[in-house]
Amino acid sequence: SFWSGKRLDVVVESMKTTMKQMKYHKNMLTRALLLPTNRVALRLTGHNDTSQGGLNDIFDENREEGDVTGKITSVTVVTTNAKLYESLVFREFDRAKNCVENMLETQSLSGFNMSAPMYHRIFYSGLVSFWVGRETDDQEWIARGVESKDAIEKMIKSASAWNFQNKTYLLQAEEQFCDRNFEEAEKLYDAAILSSKEHTFVNEEALANELAGHFYLDTGRKTKSFHYFLQAMEKYNEWGAFAKAKTMGKYLEGSESYFIGTRHIAEIV
């Protein structure tokens, strides 16, 4: 439910309930599988520690996660996915780059099976790879992004257009940005935003708007970026990611959108 864009307050409460039940049944594995995503969800909402999230009586986070991470493949995958997504969405460049590098030490992107955890891993690693490629002017990183894009494109036909169309458009937009085909990139960012909206992935609608904002900002069109950053702020708020929404303010300073967006946050929080 976290990855599908369900309201974060509902997701956090559901995970809290499940972890309480798993504590009672002494099911450490299930609890450990929930911990990484729970941590990211709390940070997005503005609660950066388990005590603020009302979970300090549910688990010993460091002990339990440390007991199984690196020992059980499913926990390692979930932990990696959570860290990869968190570093991307909070624009932590070095951490995001390290996440992909560490992931590729064990397996190439094309070698992953396409279970739900794996396709999220491929999608977000592709976005990070294009980002790193642009920032470092490294064609090897851009090639990794293309590899991820190709893998997600295949899922439209073999699995579900509903789940993969918006992701494909966003990866294609990032590829065109890297190739400096700006007119085509503009169309694909808008297509990714529209597809995310139509398929009710509010989290990915927010991300697509944000990346479009960075595209316009990085190509010298700051005024045009305001619209996309404001839309990203509104969609992150709609998702319940209030802390993330506030970070959009720095890209809106000096615009009329800044006052609209910050007033909207104040009314919600």
Side-chain angles (χ1 to χ4, degrees):
S1 57
F2 172 84
W3 302 107
S4 67
K6 191 172 183 178
R7 278 278 307 187
L8 283 177
D9 54 348
V10 176
V11 171
V12 168
E13 188 59 32
S14 176
M15 286 192 288
K16 179 180 176 181
T17 299
T18 301
M19 284 190 284
K20 282 183 176 180
Q21 293 172 345
M22 294 305 100
K23 180 180 181 180
Y24 177 79
H25 292 291
K26 301 186 186 302
N27 187 333
M28 186 176 70
L29 175 58
T30 299
R31 281 148 55 84
L33 286 168
L34 291 173
L35 288 177
T37 307
N38 177 77
R39 186 188 296 110
V40 177
L42 289 174
R43 184 179 178 190
L44 287 164
T45 61
H47 299 115
N48 286 340
D49 59 64
T50 55
S51 61
Q52 288 179 309
L55 298 172
N56 56 325
D57 60 335
I58 299 176
F59 53 79
D60 180 343
E61 179 176 332
N62 293 329
R63 178 183 66 78
E64 292 195 6
E65 191 172 7
D67 283 347
V68 292
T69 301
K71 300 176 184 178
I72 300 176
T73 301
S74 57
V75 177
T76 302
V77 169
V78 169
T79 301
T80 302
N81 287 355
K83 290 179 179 179
L84 178 64
Y85 174 77
E86 181 182 18
S87 59
L88 170 67
V89 81
F90 282 101
R91 306 295 290 178
E92 297 167 342
F93 180 83
D94 290 337
R95 186 181 180 212
K97 182 173 179 285
N98 288 337
C99 281
V100 175
E101 288 173 334
N102 292 338
M103 180 186 72
L104 291 173
E105 284 181 1
T106 57
Q107 194 169 13
S108 69
L109 292 173
S110 60
F112 290 123
N113 66 64
M114 293 304 281
S115 62
M118 289 306 184
Y119 74 68
H120 283 119
R121 193 174 189 179
I122 293 172
F123 174 52
Y124 292 117
S125 66
L127 295 177
V128 169
S129 295
F130 283 129
W131 180 23
V132 174
R134 284 195 304 274
E135 294 295 321
T136 62
D137 194 25
D138 188 329
Q139 290 301 313
E140 184 176 350
W141 276 97
I142 293 174
R144 290 170 180 165
V146 172
E147 187 178 358
S148 294
K149 181 212 66 175
D150 290 344
I152 295 297
E153 279 181 341
K154 292 176 183 177
M155 296 303 292
I156 292 180
K157 293 182 178 180
S158 64
S160 167
W162 183 277
N163 287 326
F164 295 102
Q165 184 188 68
N166 67 314
K167 297 173 179 64
T168 296
Y169 285 147
L170 189 54
L171 287 165
Q172 290 172 340
E174 290 285 288
E175 179 185 21
Q176 295 305 312
F177 183 7
C178 290
D179 289 343
R180 302 186 66 80
N181 296 325
F182 297 155
E183 185 174 345
E184 187 64 23
E186 291 176 21
K187 296 176 184 177
L188 288 164
Y189 281 117
D190 286 342
I193 292 165
L194 179 60
S195 179
S196 298
K197 183 179 182 65
E198 289 177 341
H199 299 158
T200 66
F201 296 120
V202 67
N203 53 333
E204 291 172 1
E205 185 181 354
L207 180 60
N209 271 290
E210 180 182 1
L211 293 183
H214 285 294
F215 161 70
Y216 285 107
L217 186 62
D218 291 348
T219 54
R221 292 173 284 178
K222 183 175 182 180
T223 300
K224 192 162 186 177
S225 75
F226 290 152
H227 165 76
Y228 291 94
F229 285 128
L230 179 60
Q231 289 298 308
M233 177 184 283
E234 291 180 351
K235 291 303 172 179
Y236 281 124
N237 275 324
E238 183 180 333
W239 187 29
F242 305 122
K244 171 58 186 177
K246 287 181 180 179
T247 68
M248 295 293 94
K250 64 184 176 182
Y251 302 112
L252 294 168
E253 290 180 358
S255 71
E256 182 180 351
S257 301
Y258 177 74
F259 300 104
I260 295 171
T262 52
R263 184 173 66 248
H264 186 55
I265 290 176
E267 291 172 353
I268 293 175
V269 178

